[in-house]
Amino acid sequence: MPDASDSHRDIHWPSGFSPAQAHSFCQAEAVVHAPPATAFALLADVPGWPGWVPGITEARPGPLARTYEVLFHGQRFEVFVGEQVTPRRLGWSGVGAGVQVYQAWLLTAVGGGTHAVVANVVRGPAAKSLAVLFPEWEQHLNTLWLARLKRLSESAPDGGDGSMRAVGGSHC
């Protein structure tokens, strides 16, 4: 597992959720050929996640502002959108099924589109078990999130040219 020095310097980790405190940490990045606002709109639309996020079959508003109930691979999670700086940063935490997760997104305008960085910190007994049984699980999920975000952003009316170019790849 990469250590805290592998974390992107612009990610603001909430208390208790730094890579150094994680049972699992993963980060991936790619260039999306669309404006940051296009990618951000997809990420910030939590009720729309079931239409494109791998493993999510349900997402509905929770009892409090910026909270959601999300069904991920049959497990219910309570999700809270914490950091939201349109169209640059988005961070959310989730709790459920023996897992606590914080996922941060950084979206930076670059020539030809957006440099997207996604990083996850996962804690809890389920995270420890998954790390043993399927060590690549988090990298796989990050890659799927990025690929689908890229495809949807680039096919949006204000999206880019659809060409693929990876930057930096991923590491977990």
Side-chain angles (χ1 to χ4, degrees), residues 69-144:
E69 294 178 14
V70 174
L71 196 61
F72 177 67
H73 289 289
Q75 300 296 317
R76 185 145 319 271
F77 284 80
E78 293 180 37
V79 170
F80 171 72
V81 176
E83 184 175 30
Q84 188 167 349
V85 180
T86 308
R88 167 109 171 94
R89 313 166 70 83
L90 183 72
W92 62 267
S93 60
V95 176
V99 173
Q100 298 171 327
V101 62
Y102 186 81
Q103 184 178 72
W105 286 87
L106 297 176
L107 305 169
T108 306
V110 295
T114 302
H115 179 230
V117 176
V118 57
N120 298 308
V121 163
V122 185
R123 300 183 324 184
K128 291 178 188 179
S129 297
L130 277 171
V132 171
L133 297 172
F134 183 42
E136 302 85 21
W137 72 274
E138 199 170 14
Q139 180 179 6
H140 179 71
L141 283 177
N142 275 352
T143 301
L144 286 174

